[in-house]
């Protein structure tokens, strides 16, 4: 996920956009029509998409925050003020409130989101 929709100075909500259901349906159809030699790869692809589709919005936000911080070169603690500053530098349209809410999501899902570094 390259960016989250809904982030600007006037709006503090974050909308997570997903199309995993559409991708999973297309993969299932391809699997139904696939020759035997293609089935193992398509079965693995379906399993990956379905596991991704099962992720909660909070988990997706946490992954996004950690990825943005890593891309920005931030190596400190996610629960720090420096992390909020780094996130806002990485995404200048983020309001302070939105950045703090995203930070909270990242902290709530620390065990579910491996460090992207």
């Amino acid at each position: 996920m390259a960016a989250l929709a809904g982030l600007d100075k006037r709006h503090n909500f974050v909308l997570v956009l997903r199309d995993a259901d559409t991708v999973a349906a297309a993969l299932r159809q391809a699997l139904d029509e696939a020759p035997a030699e293609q089935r193992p790869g398509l079965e693995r692809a379906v399993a990956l998409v379905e596991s991704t589709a099962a992720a909660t919005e909070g988990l997706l936000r946490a992954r996004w925050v950690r990825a943005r911080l890593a891309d920005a070169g931030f190596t400190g603690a996610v629960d720090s003020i420096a992390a909020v500053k780094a996130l806002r530098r990485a995404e200048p349209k983020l309001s302070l409130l939105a950045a703090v809410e995203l930070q909270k999501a990242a902290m709530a899902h620390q065990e579910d989101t491996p460090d992207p570094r």
Side-chain angles (χ1 to χ4, degrees), residues 20 23 34 39 60 78 81-82 90 92-93 116:
V23 173
R39 292 186 64 74
L60 293 174
V78 174
I81 293 171
K93 290 186 177 185

Side-chain angles (χ1 to χ4, degrees), residues 6 11-12 17 29 33 40 43 45-46 51 54 57 59 65 96 101 113:
H11 300 99
N12 290 316
L17 302 175
Q29 181 178 353
E33 300 167 357
E43 288 169 349
V46 168
S51 70
E57 288 185 16
L59 180 56
V65 168
L96 178 59
E101 290 300 317
T113 53

Side-chain angles (χ1 to χ4, degrees), residues 14-117:
V14 176
L15 174 64
V16 176
L17 302 175
R18 298 192 213 194
D19 57 0
D21 293 340
T22 304
V23 173
L27 284 171
R28 278 190 220 99
Q29 181 178 353
L31 180 59
D32 290 343
E33 300 167 357
E37 64 272 5
Q38 292 178 356
R39 292 186 64 74
L42 287 169
E43 288 169 349
R44 178 71 177 133
V46 168
L48 286 171
V49 169
E50 288 176 345
S51 70
T52 300
T56 65
E57 288 185 16
L59 180 56
L60 293 174
R61 286 185 182 101
R63 289 177 183 164
W64 182 84
V65 168
R66 289 185 178 280
R68 292 303 297 134
L69 290 174
D71 290 348
F74 181 76
T75 59
V78 174
D79 62 350
S80 67
I81 293 171
V84 173
K85 289 179 180 180
L87 186 57
R88 290 189 74 202
R89 275 193 304 274
E91 290 293 331
K93 290 186 177 185
L94 274 179
S95 69
L96 178 59
L97 179 59
V100 169
E101 290 300 317
L102 288 166
Q103 178 190 43
K104 287 178 185 177
M107 292 180 338
H109 292 282
Q110 284 182 336
E111 66 281 350
D112 300 327
T113 53
D115 191 341
R117 286 175 273 157

